[in-house]
Amino acid sequence: MDERAVAQLAAVHDVLYDPQLVDDATRLLTEARRADVLIVRNRTQVQGALLAALGQCKLVGRLGVGLDNIDVSGCAAKGIQVIPATGANALSVAEYVMASAMLLLRGAYASTQAVATGQWPRNALSNGRETAGQTLGIIGFGSIGQTTARLAQGLGMKVMAFDAMLQPDAPVFSQNGVCFAGLDELVSQADVVTLHVPLVDTTRGLFNAARIAAMKKGAVLINTSRGHIVDLAAVAAALQSGHLGGAAIDVFDVEPLPANAALQDCPNLLLTPHISGVSLEANERVSFMIADKVLESLK
Ligand SMILES: NC(=O)c1ccc[n+]([C@@H]2O[C@H](COP(=O)([O-])OP(=O)(O)OC[C@H]3O[C@@H](n4cnc5c(N)ncnc54)[C@H](O)[C@@H]3O)[C@@H](O)[C@H]2O)c1
């Protein structure tokens, strides 16, 4: 949490701020018993023993958006309100998506080692694609999906979006100048597919081998949403076969991702450690949004 937001809370309340607490289960449970409010990122599992230990807690603040580390209905049953920082890191994720899309479509940026060692792979890198004119398919048209659409349109991309919770004529599509597309239509037509859905039963395994095979040849897949939504082995196979033109993966079934030989020599693959929503600016916005909501609820 941004330390100035911690200081804002500490000026009024008794605050224990300890980024290492998540790794000390015994102390975490002890401290949780006396907490009126718990503020977590994505690693702290607010369920099971920790949820049971929250004897007097009224609110869980989530420094981020995904709630898959929190037993939301279990919290509700105990009268604990759960507050995510919806929207506060959307721009950071959207910029990551656009940067990845541009790098992977163009395909010319992995040449540092070759150029520095006196090679000149100009011919091999001459078939990169421009971003303008390509079709971006957005799956999940919430806060991040909509922000990504705005950036993509600024770069001249055509944008189509699918959202399982929204009707095709929902105003949010036309208000953002975006075409609604069915899931199969989007997957078969988009040059870049980006995922912005929560991890729930209906999204688990959404991008399995069959769905990846249904993507356009040479398309790029970007997953900043959650692990378990994309089958990483299928992504690696599709990159190796040349069916996928590139992939950027920021989130994994298990984090940290254990060493994975199949991914190490995959062409056109960007792997990042769950960082797309984390930047100096986003951390500040997320932290102050949660601090303000906590102060408000404790008034
Ligand atoms: N990698 C990171 O650093 C990072 C940062 C922020 C958020 N995230 C992830 O991104 C997800 C989206 O964030 P957001 O702020 O846009 O959330 P949001 O709640 O604003 O939007 C999510 C959208 O997904 C839609 N949706 C739900 N189920 C769906 C389904 N089965 N198919 C298609 N759409 C479906 C919802 O209707 C909603 O419009 C979060 O749940 C989180 O897991 C990751």
Side-chain angles (χ1 to χ4, degrees), residues 137-258:
I138 299 176
I139 298 179
F141 204 54
S143 178
I144 297 171
Q146 291 171 41
T147 307
T148 304
R150 188 162 49 81
L151 298 189
Q153 287 160 339
L155 285 164
M157 295 188 88
K158 297 174 209 148
V159 182
M160 50 171 61
F162 166 75
D163 192 302
M165 304 298 153
L166 294 172
Q167 295 300 318
D169 59 356
V172 70
F173 295 111
S174 53
Q175 280 160 4
N176 284 282
V178 163
C179 301
F180 173 89
L183 181 59
D184 291 342
E185 182 191 1
L186 180 152
V187 167
S188 66
Q189 292 186 12
D191 300 295
V192 178
V193 174
T194 185
L195 308 180
H196 302 295
V197 291
L199 174 61
V200 290
D201 288 346
T202 49
T203 59
R204 188 176 288 272
L206 190 66
F207 271 71
N208 55 16
R211 186 149 278 125
I212 291 168
M215 288 175 69
K216 206 168 159 178
K217 184 167 167 44
V220 165
L221 177 63
I222 302 174
N223 185 21
T224 58
S225 56
R226 278 293 178 268
H228 297 292
I229 294 175
V230 169
D231 179 341
L232 210 48
V235 169
L239 288 167
Q240 291 289 7
S241 75
H243 178 66
L244 275 186
I249 309 289
D250 186 50
V251 285
F252 302 90
D253 297 4
V254 177
E255 297 180 359
L257 174 74

Side-chain angles (χ1 to χ4, degrees), residues 114-127:
V115 173
T117 54
Q119 300 166 58
W120 198 247
R122 192 162 183 256
N123 287 343
L125 298 178
S126 298
N127 294 319

Side-chain angles (χ1 to χ4, degrees), residues 69-118:
N69 60 318
I70 299 175
D71 176 354
V72 177
S73 53
C75 285
K78 292 185 74 166
I80 301 173
Q81 198 187 353
V82 177
I83 299 184
T86 305
N89 56 11
L91 185 59
S92 286
V93 179
E95 287 188 356
Y96 171 101
V97 171
M98 294 318 302
S100 303
M102 292 185 84
L103 285 169
L104 291 165
L105 286 168
R106 191 65 184 267
Y109 296 90
S111 56
T112 305
Q113 188 66 16
V115 173
T117 54

